[in-house]
Amino acid sequence: MPLNFNKSLVLPWSNELSQKEPYEYPFLATYNNENKFLHYVAALHSIDEESETFKLIEQTIKKNSIDFIIVEGIPNSRGESPLSFIDWAKKQGENGKYQGFETAFTIKTSASLNISFIGGEPKEIYIYNELLNHEFKTEDYIFYTFTQQIFQAKEAKILDTLSIEKEFKDHIDSKVSLLDLDVNYSLSDFHEWFELNNLKEFSIGGLIPETCAPYVSGNLLTQRVSSAICILRDQYTISVIEEAFKENNNVMIVYGGSHWSTQKQSIENTLGIPEFKKL
């Protein structure tokens, strides 16, 4: 009998929700419903093969006769075990570092053991259309994603090598092409939008983790857009888990730990209470 998951049980992320987690990331949550197993690695994002996250992934794969793996950051539309991502992952790790984080390590490990994998992410056009259905506007998505991009560049300490003007133009061109949009935004449009909706002028120094934190009732529009996107992603990932169990009995998923927190109510509703494990 196929397993059915209630995607409406996905929760918005919050600080209060994170405080209910059983351990600090990474940890393994293993569910068993009538010999249907889900091994959920709640990862602490890492690039280092000596990290606890990488060790937990390898241990989980090799000790549990995994049939199928779901990974974060890869579009589900690419299908099972796309060769381009296998090639991408195999090129990493020579110095013990994986620029593709634990997703690259998981793919490389699964490929070496002939275990099929698939991405758990929706297409960007799906996210965009769903946001419009939730009464967000085109510029909310375009300008939020630009804000996030600049914040990530700041965190990676590569902003000094970039031109904000060029980054903005390239970002707009990319989104217009990908989403088939008929819009033309200027950098001044972005600044006006940011100040109107985020209660202060845009500045690099003012970009902090909370700027794009997924707070469903946040004071900043970037926070509310982030929350809506996270919920849509998590609901989609739950549907990928549901689909995986149609052909497999021993499924593994590797996602950032915060996603486990927001997805756990939906998963537990179908699979029951898990057993937890740390290294």
Side-chain angles (χ1 to χ4, degrees):
M1 186 173 179
L3 296 175
N4 294 306
F5 291 76
N6 185 345
K7 299 163 196 63
S8 70
L9 294 177
V10 166
L11 301 171
W13 187 87
S14 66
N15 290 320
E16 292 76 17
L17 189 66
S18 69
Q19 291 169 5
K20 298 178 182 178
E21 293 162 357
Y23 304 106
E24 291 185 358
Y25 314 137
F27 60 81
L28 174 67
T30 299
Y31 302 82
N32 177 8
N33 182 313
E34 298 181 356
N35 292 319
K36 294 274 191 180
F37 292 91
L38 178 67
H39 307 269
Y40 200 124
V41 175
L44 176 65
H45 294 310
S46 176
I47 65 169
D48 188 353
E49 68 181 10
E50 293 301 317
S51 67
E52 287 192 10
T53 290
F54 281 45
K55 291 177 180 178
L56 184 58
I57 290 167
E58 184 173 35
Q59 183 183 97
T60 302
I61 292 174
K62 292 183 175 179
K63 287 189 174 182
N64 292 285
S65 301
I66 300 297
D67 300 325
F68 194 73
I69 302 177
I70 301 166
V71 293
E72 184 175 5
I74 305 296
N76 182 259
S77 59
R78 295 296 300 273
E80 290 188 19
S81 304
L83 288 176
S84 61
F85 281 102
I86 294 175
D87 291 341
W88 166 75
K90 284 182 175 179
K91 293 175 182 176
Q92 302 185 44
E94 286 188 7
N95 59 353
K97 306 297 182 184
Y98 287 74
Q99 295 308 309
F101 294 84
E102 64 275 0
T103 290
F105 177 77
T106 303
I107 291 173
K108 186 176 181 178
T109 305
S110 65
S112 71
L113 297 171
N114 294 314
I115 300 172
S116 296
F117 70 90
I118 200 165
E121 304 294 334
K123 287 185 175 181
E124 189 168 350
I125 187 68
Y126 168 83
I127 294 291
Y128 170 71
N129 286 333
E130 286 297 312
L131 286 176
L132 295 186
N133 290 337
H134 286 73
E135 299 184 352
F136 291 103
K137 301 174 183 177
T138 295
E139 56 265 33
D140 297 335
Y141 179 69
I142 300 295
F143 294 158
Y144 161 78
T145 50
F146 180 68
T147 304
Q148 183 187 49
Q149 178 179 311
I150 296 303
F151 172 72
Q152 290 172 342
K154 178 183 177 182
E155 290 291 283
K157 303 186 187 309
I158 60 172
L159 263 183
D160 290 344
T161 68
L162 304 178
S163 161
I164 296 296
E165 291 77 11
K166 184 179 185 303
E167 290 299 307
F168 181 80
K169 182 181 184 305
D170 290 348
H171 181 79
I172 296 300
D173 290 347
S174 172
K175 297 304 182 190
V176 165
S177 174
L178 182 65
L179 303 175
D180 193 25
L181 302 176
D182 183 18
V183 295
N184 184 21
Y185 296 119
S186 68
L187 188 56
S188 61
D189 291 331
F190 166 72
H191 280 277
E192 183 178 324
W193 173 89
F194 192 94
E195 184 173 359
L196 177 64
N197 293 290
N198 274 19
L199 313 177
K200 64 179 181 179
E201 292 183 0
F202 174 81
S203 70
I204 301 300
L207 285 180
I208 58 176
E210 284 72 20
T211 304
C212 292
Y215 298 146
V216 66
S217 299
N219 291 326
L220 312 184
L221 181 55
T222 46
Q223 294 171 341
R224 299 193 297 277
V225 174
S226 178
S227 176
I229 291 174
C230 287
I231 291 170
L232 290 168
R233 281 184 63 205
D234 284 333
Q235 289 176 336
Y236 189 90
T237 303
I238 291 294
S239 71
V240 175
I241 295 172
E242 183 177 83
E243 188 68 22
F245 275 117
K246 292 181 180 179
E247 301 290 338
N248 305 281
N249 293 323
N250 209 358
V251 176
M252 176 177 171
I253 178 170
V254 180
Y255 258 66
S258 63
H259 293 281
W260 176 83
S261 293
T262 53
Q263 295 169 10
K264 68 177 181 178
Q265 187 168 301
S266 176
I267 296 172
E268 288 180 2
N269 184 63
T270 297
L271 297 179
I273 303 299
E275 293 184 1
F276 295 104
K277 179 182 179 181
K278 280 185 71 72
L279 285 177

